[in-house]
């Protein structure tokens, strides 16, 4: 208790900003998060052992040597829920938009930007990979401006900095900018308010049961209270920080791992605090009753599936190669979890490990045999074993395995995009516009999003298309057209229309 008290009195008055790193794939988000994790976690803490709970706290020293805490979200798929607003807050307070100085702005850069704008949080552009010979910072800046990301010093006010997530160049400055953005945003440690927390990660552990990480945005979680997240609830008996150290309380800006859930909380869901188990249980029960009549809450679902596996290989070298293959899998909706791995033949112990996992676990063997008792146990417990002797065969199998286990999601895929050049007339919700196709094609009947500065402001339907006064069945890329669009939202010149198809994968 003494230790806890000491921690409380030392708690910083300013609250750590919660930062999400976004951007196109391969532009260096993970590398940046790894670099900051490695270099900015307090060295004085014993061992420096951290656990993966979906977020970590970094310490950054400003020019005057003053220490500031910054919380980074590092949940796979965080980009998917960074935009979730819960009541009045989004999970993140500040976003870092990573753009590679080799590649410039890419489709996911713009998607990330739209998401950032939607949640209304400040962002900083980090132009990454400047250590690479092909890096061109000037070109990247121009490219950003062309895409309406108006950088400071280039006619806008978006702070930016050039970095290398590999060498660490510029990262200090980047963290300064993060703190500045948070300060301008007016982050206060609203610890006197009612608790507002959002679940960012959920884990199963055979021994400890369900645990979940929440980011606290307002208020303070106190030990021995109860939290409720929809139909799941937990006593606040075991709370840990990302270093697996016990916490007596969790303050705004802090990630906290809560262990001991009844039921399974979902990612993106808000936490509520009650004083007794009875209240917690009642609230969770009520949610089930209400949710039968209200399906709107389904929207928050992250739907990440976990595919646990046990790996056995002949030698350490092949084990390493297999783990490497697994790391190559980048699936937002599926997490491959290595339950256990080792060298030697498949034993009964391995089968038991696989059988007791909360999801169906698979055993992958590479150049190893199965002992007789293991074979019998596998049959008895219904555990699947896959054996390989060539790595590429294993990779091939992994691909089909991932495809089969990945939850199906329906997404909107852009099929055509046009810039509005002129508005000819508007009669109620029928608008006649002139535009130019920038990408793909437009066809009559297409449902379109109306975008203003990359943010969707409404939707409409293309009722008819014309070119040189003749009716056409499609407007191709780089051609100008006239269209009758039916939409409640008033379209203005400079807006974009984006047609899309619903694709289930
Ligand atoms: P993510 O998909 O955005 O998370 O991208 P990653 O962090 O996985 O990076 C993609 C690739 O770029 C990896 O091979 C990284 O090692 C490399 N990379 C990322 N940042 C840098 C950088 O600043 N310099 C160099 N040279 N390589 C980088």
């Amino acid at each position: 208790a003494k230790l806890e008290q000491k921690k409380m009195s030392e708690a910083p008055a300013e609250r750590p900003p919660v930062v999400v790193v976004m951007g196109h794939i391969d532009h260096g988000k993970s590398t940046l998060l790894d670099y900051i994790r490695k270099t900015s976690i307090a060295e004085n803490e014993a061992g420096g052992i951290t656990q993966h709970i979906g977020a970590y706290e970094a310490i950054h020293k400003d020019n005057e040597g003053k220490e500031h805490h910054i919380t980074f979200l590092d949940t796979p798929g965080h980009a998917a829920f960074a935009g979730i607003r819960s009541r009045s807050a989004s999970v993140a307070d500040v976003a870092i938009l990573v753009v590679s100085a080799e590649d410039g702005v890419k489709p996911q850069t713009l998607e990330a930007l739209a998401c950032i704008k939607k949640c209304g949080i400040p962002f900083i552009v980090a132009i990454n990979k400047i250590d690479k010979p092909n890096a061109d910072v000037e070109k990247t800046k121009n490219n950003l401006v062309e895409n309406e990301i108006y950088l400071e010093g280039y006619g806008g006010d978006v702070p930016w900095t050039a970095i290398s997530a590999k060498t660490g160049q510029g990262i200090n400055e980047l963290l300064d900018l993060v703190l500045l953005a948070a300060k301008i945003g007016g982050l206060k440690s609203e610890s006197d308010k009612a608790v507002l927390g959002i679940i960012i990660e959920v884990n199963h552990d055979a021994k400890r049961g369900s645990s979940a990480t929440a980011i606290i945005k307002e208020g303070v979680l106190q030990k021995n209270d109860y939290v409720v997240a929809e139909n799941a609830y937990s006593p606040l008996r075991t709370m840990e920080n990302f270093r697996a150290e016990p916490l007596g309380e969790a303050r705004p800006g802090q990630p906290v791992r809560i262990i001991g859930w009844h039921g399974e909380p979902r990612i993106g869901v808000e936490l509520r605090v009650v004083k007794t188990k009875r209240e917690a249980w009642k609230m969770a029960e009520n949610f089930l009753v209400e949710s039968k009549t209200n399906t709107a809450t389904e929207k928050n679902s992250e739907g990440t599936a976990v595919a646990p596996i046990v790996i056995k290989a002949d030698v350490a070298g092949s084990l390493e190669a297999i783990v490497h293959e697994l790391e190559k899998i980048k699936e937002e909706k599926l997490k491959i979890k290595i339950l256990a791995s080792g060298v030697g033949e498949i034993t009964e112990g391995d089968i038991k490990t696989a059988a007791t996992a909360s999801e169906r676990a698979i055993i992958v063997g590479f150049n190893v045999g199965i002992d007789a008792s293991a074979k019998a146990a596998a049959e008895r417990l219904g555990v699947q074993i896959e054996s390989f002797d060539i790595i590429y065969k294993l990779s091939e199998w992994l691909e089909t395995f991932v495809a089969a286990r990945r939850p199906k999601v329906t997404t909107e895929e852009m099929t055509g995009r046009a810039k509005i050049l002129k508005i000819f007339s508007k009669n109620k919700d029928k608008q006649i516009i002139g535009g130019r196709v920038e990408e793909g094609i437009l066809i009559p009947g297409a449902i379109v999003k109306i975008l203003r500065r990359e943010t969707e402001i409404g939707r409409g339907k293309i009722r008819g298309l014309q070119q040189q006064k003749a009716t056409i069945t499609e407007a191709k890329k780089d051609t100008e057209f006239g269209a009758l669009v039916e939409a409640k939202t008033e379209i203005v010149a400079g807006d974009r229309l984006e047609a899309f198809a619903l694709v289930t994968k």
Side-chain angles (χ1 to χ4, degrees):
K2 232 181 197 166
L3 188 85
E4 274 165 28
Q5 224 150 37
K6 186 165 158 270
K7 280 206 172 135
M8 268 176 76
S9 57
E10 277 175 1
E14 65 169 17
R15 94 152 168 75
V18 180
V19 180
V20 61
V21 177
M22 300 176 82
H24 196 73
I25 187 160
D26 280 343
H27 280 197
K29 299 178 293 291
S30 321
T31 311
L32 177 63
L33 282 163
D34 286 346
Y35 185 91
I36 298 172
R37 188 193 293 110
K38 275 194 211 107
T39 53
S40 313
I41 284 176
E43 296 105 9
N44 54 348
E45 299 277 340
I49 302 158
T50 61
Q51 58 178 354
H52 185 91
I53 65 166
Y56 65 84
E57 294 172 65
I59 294 179
H60 174 59
K61 269 195 191 143
D62 65 17
N63 291 338
E64 286 145 22
K66 194 168 167 249
E67 287 190 345
H68 303 267
H69 287 242
I70 304 176
T71 295
F72 282 89
L73 297 176
D74 68 348
T75 316
H78 52 65
F81 70 91
I84 288 175
R85 291 183 67 88
S86 129
R87 240 179 359 193
S88 57
S90 69
V91 182
D93 303 303
V94 177
I96 295 175
L97 183 60
V98 176
V99 182
S100 156
E102 283 186 315
D103 298 348
V105 173
K106 290 276 171 187
Q108 288 166 354
T109 316
L110 296 175
E111 268 169 37
L113 182 71
C115 179
I116 291 166
K117 290 199 167 156
K118 203 158 137 199
C119 49
I121 55 173
F123 71 105
I124 295 147
V125 171
I127 299 177
N128 189 30
K129 306 200 185 184
I130 56 168
D131 61 296
K132 289 196 121 180
N134 290 334
D136 190 338
V137 176
E138 278 312 307
K139 194 171 153 202
T140 309
K141 284 195 283 192
N142 288 330
N143 187 216
L144 283 158
V145 173
E146 279 159 25
N147 283 282
E148 296 170 5
I149 303 172
Y150 300 110
L151 302 181
E152 246 168 32
Y154 289 76
D157 57 3
V158 176
W160 64 275
T161 179
I163 65 162
S164 163
K166 202 157 199 175
T167 67
Q169 193 188 341
I171 290 182
N172 226 11
E173 197 191 346
L174 176 66
L175 298 181
D176 283 341
L177 290 176
V178 166
L179 289 176
L180 192 66
K183 207 166 170 185
I184 295 167
L187 267 196
K188 278 179 280 182
S189 180
E190 303 189 270
S191 45
D192 51 341
K193 287 204 176 167
V195 173
L196 169 55
I198 301 166
I199 305 273
I200 60 158
E201 189 159 283
V202 178
N203 276 306
H204 292 288
D205 184 318
K207 276 192 228 107
R208 301 172 90 188
S210 286
S211 72
T213 305
I215 295 276
I216 306 304
K217 300 289 295 190
E218 286 170 10
V220 178
L221 276 192
Q222 302 283 1
K223 201 163 174 164
N224 297 328
D225 283 349
Y226 284 79
V227 281
V228 185
E230 293 186 343
N231 62 333
Y233 68 97
S234 177
L236 294 177
R237 211 172 299 131
T238 317
M239 292 194 280
E240 289 178 352
N241 65 11
F242 75 104
R243 270 197 207 91
E245 295 163 338
L247 288 176
E249 57 167 28
R251 304 184 66 84
Q254 213 177 3
V256 54
R257 184 177 187 205
I258 301 164
I259 299 157
W261 288 84
H262 299 263
E264 193 188 314
R266 290 191 306 141
I267 290 175
V269 164
E270 209 174 282
L271 284 186
R272 296 183 204 192
V273 172
V274 292
K275 285 279 168 203
T276 64
K277 182 170 181 177
R278 197 183 150 72
E279 284 170 276
W281 173 78
K282 273 222 138 147
M283 202 182 239
E285 281 277 289
N286 278 343
F287 174 82
L288 279 183
V289 176
E290 279 167 23
S291 63
K292 286 197 182 115
T293 51
N294 177 12
T295 50
T297 45
E298 284 304 314
K299 271 195 299 198
N300 281 355
S301 167
E302 164 86 343
T304 301
V306 177
I309 65 172
V310 173
I311 313 168
K312 291 306 281 284
D314 51 347
V315 289
S318 25
L319 198 58
E320 231 171 76
I322 295 165
V323 172
H324 183 71
E325 287 300 301
L326 291 175
E327 280 170 353
K328 281 204 277 192
I329 296 171
K330 287 202 173 172
E331 269 295 339
E332 292 226 327
K333 294 276 170 191
L334 183 76
K335 208 158 102 184
I336 294 213
K337 192 160 137 192
I338 303 175
L339 284 182
S341 65
V343 170
E345 67 176 358
I346 298 167
T347 64
E348 199 176 339
D350 297 327
I351 308 290
K352 284 196 175 137
T353 305
T356 48
S358 55
E359 312 261 339
R360 246 172 340 127
I362 287 189
I363 299 194
V364 174
F366 188 77
N367 273 338
V368 292
I370 307 168
D371 76 27
S373 61
K375 214 170 211 163
E379 271 165 24
R380 194 173 63 240
L381 299 168
V383 172
Q384 185 184 342
I385 300 174
E386 295 287 336
S387 296
F388 303 92
D389 49 10
I390 306 173
I391 277 285
Y392 87 81
K393 287 240 164 98
L394 189 147
S395 315
E396 271 177 12
W397 171 81
L398 263 178
E399 262 172 45
T400 48
F401 169 73
V402 166
R405 287 273 181 117
R406 182 182 56 207
K408 299 276 179 282
V409 280
T410 302
T411 50
E412 292 170 348
E413 283 193 3
M414 197 264 286
T415 53
R417 186 176 156 95
K419 184 163 184 167
I420 306 299
L421 304 173
K422 201 166 158 53
I423 310 298
F424 295 106
S425 71
K426 177 174 188 307
N427 181 4
K428 291 204 187 122
D429 50 7
K430 300 220 167 41
Q431 309 178 45
I432 297 182
I433 55 105
R436 182 180 185 81
V437 182
E438 293 176 323
E439 269 178 77
I441 57 162
L442 291 187
I443 54 170
I447 305 282
V448 289
K449 298 180 193 174
I450 301 161
L451 306 177
R452 188 160 300 161
R453 289 188 140 217
E454 293 306 329
T455 305
E456 182 177 336
I457 56 166
R459 289 192 178 193
K461 189 167 188 176
I462 296 181
R463 286 285 178 203
L465 281 177
Q466 284 200 333
Q467 257 161 3
Q468 268 116 25
K469 302 223 158 67
T471 300
I472 50 168
T473 53
E474 66 172 54
K476 293 197 175 73
K477 189 169 182 249
D478 296 327
T479 61
E480 291 191 3
F481 63 91
L484 169 63
V485 179
E486 195 178 302
K488 294 231 170 358
T489 311
E490 182 167 0
I491 303 169
V492 302
D495 286 351
R496 286 187 164 80
L497 296 185
E498 205 170 272
F500 58 89
L502 291 177
V503 180
T504 302
K505 280 186 191 158

